[in-house]
Amino acid sequence: MNTEHTPSKVLEAKRTRDAEILRASYVGIAVNLVLASSKALMGAAVHSMAMIFDGVNNMSDALSSVITIAGTKFASKKPDKKHPLGHGRAEYLTSMIIAALVLYAGINSFTKSARSILQPVTPEYSAASLITIAAAILGKILLGRYVRRVGKRVRSDALVSSGTDALFDALLSAAVLFSALLFLFAHVNLEAWISVIISVFIIRAGVEMLRESTDDVLGRRLDPELVRGIRQTVCRDEDVLGAYDLILHSYGPEKLIGSVCVEVSDTMTATEIDRMERRISERVFEEHGVLLTGIGIYSTYHGSEDMRDRIIDIVRRHDGVLQIHGFFLDEENRRAGFDLVLDFELKNREEVFKEICAEVRGIFPEYEMQVTMDIDE
């Protein structure tokens, strides 16, 4: 693999990404501290529990940005003996912590709002308090859109979560403004009820963020565009007849390590295969930033087309079959086999697999048939 320019390019992209995350987080801290202090002070002055709580919620957002910064800096630490592949997964934990904070803010909001329904407090809104709330709504909308845009561009779940939370905070502040205007002009105090409704939305947002973060930790399905791009890059090599079984392991949003199996002619020598593997690894790293640590080999067996075509015909008769590949034939030891990909949407996936195996083995009883159920990419 060419190591003169590619690693430096990837490293520079990583540094740029970290710098953007930190910049967005610093902006978030500054804006939320200003909003939190102004809302808390004004809320105390006009006896509005909703404004005070809204300020406390903004303070938790500032804390979220601090956690994002800490997570980014920790994720940027160099690999060490205990963590040879780096600390990139720390960002996933950061996202989970932010989700937990959003959940806490939502539950806390719900509890206090419910109490204020039973023990209402009459607010004394002023023009200054209304201007403060309106400015906070605008500030939160601008902050949320900015942070989410940066988060999506640099693929930071922590920033996307923070931006989403900011937009929900704007909705909460809008509800507070609505209740204030309603109280001033209609003398109807719905502040507590509005807060309860918004609290439910905040809790829902926290649950969704937590689910997204958990999916990252557990290992979510690969990005279809990335999979398609890598397979196209691999198949561009003149010696590759097909690419299958792409597996990627994430060690952070910008650090993917994986493996792939390629089908080649059975006439290739070990030297030719070695050269091909080096070419593929270099191209995939240069074009996608993915390091292939292993390339498996499937050999195309000339002279076995009839058997392969008959097996493909049997397999294709069944619903839910997405792919068949990796066919091999060992005439000397009377062994054959292939890999089979079935749709996860099949309710009777295991039964379909067993049925296909039984049919194939029934047609070719003289062979020891090895069938592997693979996963779709």
Side-chain angles (χ1 to χ4, degrees), residues 227-237 239-247 259-264 276 280 284 292 295-298 300 323-326 339 341 374-375 377:
V227 172
R228 189 177 302 111
I230 293 176
R231 292 186 65 179
Q232 288 175 350
T233 299
V234 173
C235 290
R236 280 207 315 268
D237 192 276
D239 290 325
V240 173
L241 303 178
Y244 313 97
D245 304 331
L246 176 63
I247 297 177
S259 61
V260 66
C261 290
V262 298
E263 185 176 359
V264 300
M276 176 200 65
I280 292 173
V284 170
L292 293 180
I295 299 179
I297 301 297
Y298 289 140
T300 296
Q323 192 181 92
I324 175 174
H325 63 268
D339 290 357
V341 178
D374 223 333
I375 60 173
E377 301 163 357

Side-chain angles (χ1 to χ4, degrees), residues 27-47:
V27 171
I29 291 174
V31 172
N32 280 308
L33 286 178
V34 171
L35 294 179
S37 57
S38 60
K39 287 180 183 178
L41 292 175
M42 187 60 67
V46 299
H47 308 293

Side-chain angles (χ1 to χ4, degrees), residues 108-130:
N108 193 34
S109 170
F110 184 87
T111 302
K112 290 188 176 181
S113 299
R115 289 176 181 173
S116 63
I117 292 176
L118 300 176
Q119 300 175 344
V121 176
T122 303
E124 301 174 1
Y125 293 111
S126 62
S129 64
L130 297 180

